[in-house]
Amino acid sequence: MSSDFEKLKNTNLELKEIINNSWDGIAIIDFKSTFIYINDALVPMLGYSKKELLEKSFVDLLHEEYKLPLLQLLKDNASNSYDTDIDVVCSRKDNESIYLKLTISLMLNKKYFVLNAKDITKQISDHQILNNYIISCHTDKYGFMTEVSDAYCKLSGYSKSELLGRTHAVVQHKDTPKELFKNLWNTITQGKEWSGKIKNITKNDEIFWIDIKIKPIYNKYGDITGYTALMFDITHELELNEKVIAQDSKLNIMTETIRTVSHEWRQPLNTISILAQKLSLEMNNENDSTTILRKITENVKMLSNTIEEFKSLIEFEGEKEVILLNNLIETLIKPYKRVAVFEVVCDKELSIETYQDRLVTVFNNIIKNSIESMQRNMIKKNKKIIINVKKINNFIELSIHDSAGGIKEKYLSKIFEPYFSTKGQKQGVGLGLYIAKNIVEMHLKGTITVNSIVNNTIVKIKLPTKS
């Protein structure tokens, strides 16, 4: 008899050891969820010591919305005697939330329950991230939506209740060819994956495009039970492509126009220039007429140069190269150091792949503008130009900051217009910044802005590091 008692005692000790070493949190609770026993694994899950937990009820740790459902579940289990699963959220001792999957079993004595707890916080967090940011949808085998992510609801403008039980036709744009959906349905019902781009419309009648992949879901017998779809919003990408196409079309029209103007103007300008020089040579003495003729020649030359500048702007054909920006800037400012003080802030290893000739043209136009402004405003002290270059995400930002007197606010909105200039006629025709802006946008695919703050002008150029 004593031998049987020892065996039972040893068995209980072994069982207790197994329960304590379990990865799952295990507890024994009564009908009010008061803790009777707690294994070692439940302690770190909840953050309380065993002693602290034994003075509490499990329901005290639950978030408010889970308390009544758990107590009702214990009550129902008392009569049904079957294992039940429930997901709950608890507050740890440190006030952090923990998600638990509980399996509740009624013990043979029908006085207590065995509670098995698994920490599913990471899975819930991952699911929430996917739900918030991944555009996805599940349908049954007939194409009716059974599950949609919050990201899909946000994109389409519909709530989950408005989408569930309906097909994708709810967002289908009328312009989408019927043949596309026929091909889609035939493909996935044959157990194959389908992918493509589809034009849709939101609840608010706004167009959006998705790149979608749909694949079948199978049960363990190999039968198709539904379909899952993963989508990517490509609306902005397609809009950008349309803008690029429009810009290319505009550029082609400009190119043809400039070629025609160049061809039509070249001969008359050459004729005027030759005649003016001939008349000037025939007049031996310096008088008003020869001065006028010299001005005619100068203006003809200026017009000819303007045409060449426009031609070079739109007919540019070059190859990109990797440029160390610090080296390039130091080389470019060298000729200007005799008239201004330069401060360059640029990582010596910072590089960009771009058209060097185009970048040089832009830089020179801006620096010349700064120096001419210093001379025009008679700046004699603190003739300083600060050049700051830094990498921000996928862009290089080049900032040129001068102390040349600034630009009046009323002129800022016009600064990039062709033939607009705050200089006198002797100092230019107002094409420098216009050409710089077009080079930055058309060839370098970047942006350029000008701001003026207390007698200082700041030009910022943002260039993409990738094409």
Side-chain angles (χ1 to χ4, degrees):
M1 192 77 174
S2 62
S3 175
D4 291 339
F5 179 77
E6 286 297 321
K7 284 182 181 178
L8 183 61
K9 184 179 178 182
N10 289 336
T11 300
N12 286 337
L13 288 172
E14 287 173 7
L15 184 60
K16 187 176 180 180
E17 188 67 22
I18 290 169
I19 291 172
N20 264 332
N21 289 328
S22 171
W23 285 95
D24 295 343
I26 298 174
I28 296 174
I29 59 175
D30 63 15
F31 280 89
K32 293 182 179 180
S33 81
T34 304
F35 286 111
I36 309 299
Y37 167 81
I38 297 156
N39 78 335
D40 291 344
L42 195 60
V43 172
M45 277 188 191
L46 300 175
Y48 292 93
S49 67
K50 282 188 179 182
K51 183 180 178 182
E52 289 173 321
L53 288 172
L54 289 170
E55 294 172 353
K56 292 178 177 291
S57 295
F58 183 65
V59 75
D60 295 335
L61 305 176
L62 295 177
H63 284 199
E64 197 63 37
E65 63 267 31
Y66 296 96
K67 291 182 178 182
L68 284 177
L70 179 76
L71 292 173
Q72 185 62 46
L73 197 63
L74 296 179
K75 184 179 177 181
D76 293 343
N77 261 25
S79 56
N80 295 324
S81 301
Y82 55 77
D83 293 355
T84 307
D85 289 339
I86 182 174
D87 293 347
V88 297
V89 184
C90 295
S91 293
R92 288 167 41 88
K93 188 177 180 179
D94 58 10
N95 292 323
E96 291 292 326
S97 294
I98 180 171
Y99 292 81
L100 298 177
K101 179 176 281 296
L102 305 180
T103 300
I104 300 170
S105 308
L106 184 66
M107 295 181 72
L108 291 175
N109 61 18
K110 296 191 176 183
K111 292 181 180 180
Y112 303 112
F113 295 91
V114 175
L115 185 150
N116 186 287
K118 294 180 183 290
D119 182 0
I120 58 169
T121 307
K122 187 179 185 304
Q123 293 94 305
I124 294 292
S125 297
D126 290 346
H127 175 74
Q128 286 177 339
I129 291 169
L130 293 173
N131 185 50
N132 290 335
Y133 297 103
I134 302 299
I135 307 166
S136 62
C137 171
H138 300 284
T139 70
D140 61 19
K141 63 180 181 180
Y142 303 107
F144 293 98
M145 287 183 265
T146 57
E147 186 180 341
V148 291
S149 68
D150 286 348
Y152 184 77
C153 293
K154 184 178 179 181
L155 178 63
S156 67
Y158 289 94
S159 66
K160 285 192 178 185
S161 61
E162 290 174 314
L163 292 172
L164 295 179
R166 302 176 73 177
T167 68
H168 282 286
V170 67
V171 295
Q172 179 184 334
H173 195 278
K174 62 181 181 180
D175 292 346
T176 307
K178 292 181 180 179
E179 291 77 13
L180 182 146
F181 289 103
K182 186 177 179 181
N183 173 263
L184 183 161
W185 189 249
N186 288 339
T187 301
I188 61 177
T189 52
Q190 291 175 21
K192 299 176 184 177
E193 182 180 300
W194 188 91
S195 61
K197 295 176 176 63
I198 299 179
K199 185 179 183 180
N200 291 319
I201 190 161
T202 68
K203 185 179 179 180
N204 296 325
D205 295 329
E206 294 179 358
I207 293 170
F208 69 98
W209 283 84
I210 53 171
D211 190 344
I212 185 170
K213 291 186 179 181
I214 307 174
K215 60 192 304 184
I217 304 169
Y218 298 92
N219 62 17
K220 63 180 181 180
Y221 304 108
D223 302 319
I224 294 176
T225 58
Y227 304 96
T228 184
L230 184 65
M231 294 160 268
F232 300 92
D233 182 6
I234 57 169
T235 309
H236 296 303
E237 178 186 328
L238 291 179
E239 286 177 351
L240 182 61
N241 287 340
E242 288 175 4
K243 286 180 181 178
V244 170
I245 291 169
Q247 188 177 23
D248 286 344
S249 176
K250 183 180 177 182
L251 186 58
N252 289 334
I253 294 170
M254 285 176 62
T255 302
E256 289 305 313
T257 303
I258 292 298
R259 282 175 180 162
T260 303
V261 170
S262 174
H263 178 75
E264 295 296 328
W265 283 21
R266 180 75 61 201
Q267 188 59 39
L269 285 174
N270 285 340
T271 301
I272 293 169
S273 179
I274 290 168
L275 289 174
Q277 290 177 39
K278 184 178 179 182
L279 284 171
S280 181
L281 290 171
E282 287 176 356
M283 295 178 181
N284 296 324
N285 60 323
E286 183 73 19
N287 54 37
D288 291 341
S289 297
T290 54
T291 302
I292 292 168
L293 288 170
R294 188 162 54 249
K295 286 183 179 179
I296 291 172
T297 304
E298 288 172 357
N299 278 279
V300 166
K301 186 178 179 180
M302 186 180 69
L303 282 171
S304 183
N305 288 340
T306 301
I307 291 173
E308 288 303 317
E309 283 189 81
F310 274 110
K311 281 187 67 181
S312 67
L313 174 63
I314 62 175
E315 291 185 343
F316 172 73
E317 293 181 5
E319 292 185 3
K320 288 185 176 182
E321 53 188 305
V322 177
I323 303 163
L324 282 171
L325 288 166
N326 188 70
N327 291 356
L328 177 66
I329 291 168
E330 289 294 344
T331 302
L332 292 174
I333 64 175
K334 197 172 181 179
Y336 302 107
K337 282 187 174 180
R338 57 186 177 82
V339 288
V341 176
F342 286 85
E343 181 182 316
V344 179
V345 181
C346 180
D347 187 334
K348 290 185 178 180
E349 302 301 318
L350 191 58
S351 64
I352 188 171
E353 185 178 8
T354 189
Y355 301 107
Q356 179 167 312
D357 289 349
R358 301 285 86 181
L359 188 57
V360 168
T361 300
V362 172
F363 184 88
N364 279 332
N365 280 353
I366 294 168
I367 296 298
K368 283 179 182 176
N369 263 10
S370 293
I371 289 173
E372 286 173 1
S373 293
M374 288 177 182
Q375 293 170 343
R376 189 170 61 256
N377 294 327
M378 302 180 71
I379 305 294
K380 295 182 179 179
K381 294 182 179 180
N382 193 30
K383 295 170 70 175
K384 191 174 186 179
I385 298 175
I386 301 170
I387 302 168
N388 194 334
V389 187
K390 56 188 175 182
K391 188 173 185 291
I392 303 173
N393 298 323
N394 295 324
F395 289 87
I396 296 291
E397 184 182 271
L398 192 151
S399 172
I400 301 172
H401 183 164
D402 70 35
S403 55
I407 302 169
K408 291 180 180 179
E409 188 175 349
K410 64 180 180 180
Y411 295 143
L412 281 174
S413 60
K414 301 178 180 180
I415 206 73
F416 292 117
E417 292 179 6
Y419 302 108
F420 174 80
S421 178
T422 57
K423 311 170 188 177
Q425 288 186 354
K426 292 181 180 179
Q427 289 185 290
V429 292
L431 287 173
L433 286 179
Y434 171 74
I435 289 172
K437 184 177 188 291
N438 277 275
I439 289 174
V440 169
E441 293 179 349
M442 287 197 298
H443 300 309
L444 306 182
K445 306 301 180 186
T447 60
I448 181 171
T449 58
V450 176
N451 285 305
S452 186
I453 305 170
V454 192
N455 298 326
N456 291 262
T457 301
I458 304 167
V459 179
K460 283 189 179 180
I461 300 169
K462 285 183 73 175
L463 304 176
T465 55
K466 296 178 181 178
S467 302

